[in-house]
Amino acid sequence: MCKVYKILEDQASLFPRQIPSLPPYWQKFMYEVVAMVKLVGIPASFMTLSCADLRWPELFQIIGNTQVLDLTEEKIEAKSYNERCSMLNFNPAIVAKHFQLKVETFFTEVLLTKVNPIGIIVFYALYFEFKVQGSPHLH
């Protein structure tokens, strides 16, 4: 019986490594980045990408669709800064997912193409964070 408990205990300790934002996840992330540095050397570039969420009308249209609102670009532009901020703050999961999709598109359609606009990318690590007002950004 103790042997079964031991197996479950081992599995339970590995489970948090798969959940982003938990300490075991970031510990694993750190080990992977250290391994990359040892393998290919110190990174040649560092960039920060910020979310221009207030300037993405399609994001407000997506949020509007979840609330059965028909938001045209004119209606979005007519909203005040505070109204737009409220829409974003009340829908953080949609904002984060939209930003993630934009970042993935930027990497696949620009940075990782054969054109190599910033040079050949061998390895990269992405670290998402959220600003005080809730907007995501990454390093």
Side-chain angles (χ1 to χ4, degrees):
M1 201 69 167
C2 289
K3 198 169 196 176
V4 173
Y5 177 77
K6 179 68 173 153
I7 291 172
L8 294 175
E9 183 181 287
D10 291 346
Q11 289 174 347
S13 68
L14 293 176
F15 179 71
R17 287 184 166 180
Q18 307 306 318
I19 303 173
S21 81
L22 290 181
Y25 175 88
W26 291 115
Q27 183 181 35
K28 179 181 171 233
F29 177 83
M30 182 197 63
Y31 290 147
E32 290 171 353
V33 170
V34 168
M36 276 194 282
V37 169
K38 286 183 178 181
L39 184 66
V40 295
I42 295 174
S45 307
F46 178 86
M47 75 171 63
T48 299
L49 300 175
S50 295
C51 183
D53 47 11
L54 288 169
R55 297 183 181 161
W56 292 336
E58 74 276 8
L59 175 57
F60 290 99
Q61 290 169 342
I62 292 167
I63 292 171
N65 288 342
T66 65
Q67 300 167 357
V68 196
L69 300 173
D70 183 28
L71 293 177
T72 62
E73 286 195 35
E74 294 79 27
K75 288 180 183 178
I76 294 166
E77 288 177 17
K79 290 190 173 291
S80 71
Y81 173 80
N82 289 335
E83 288 174 318
R84 285 183 282 147
C85 285
S86 290
M87 285 181 73
L88 296 173
N89 289 336
F90 284 113
N91 297 282
I94 294 172
V95 173
K97 186 62 177 177
H98 191 72
F99 180 61
Q100 178 187 359
L101 292 173
K102 286 219 177 242
V103 167
E104 289 172 0
T105 302
F106 176 64
F107 267 76
T108 58
E109 302 292 324
V110 178
L111 296 181
L112 299 175
T113 60
K114 292 181 181 181
V115 176
N116 300 319
I118 62 170
I120 297 172
I121 298 174
V122 180
F123 291 108
Y124 62 91
L126 304 176
Y127 181 76
F128 283 85
E129 293 179 326
F130 290 86
K131 298 177 187 173
V132 174
Q133 72 270 24
S135 293
H137 69 280
L138 75 88
H139 303 285

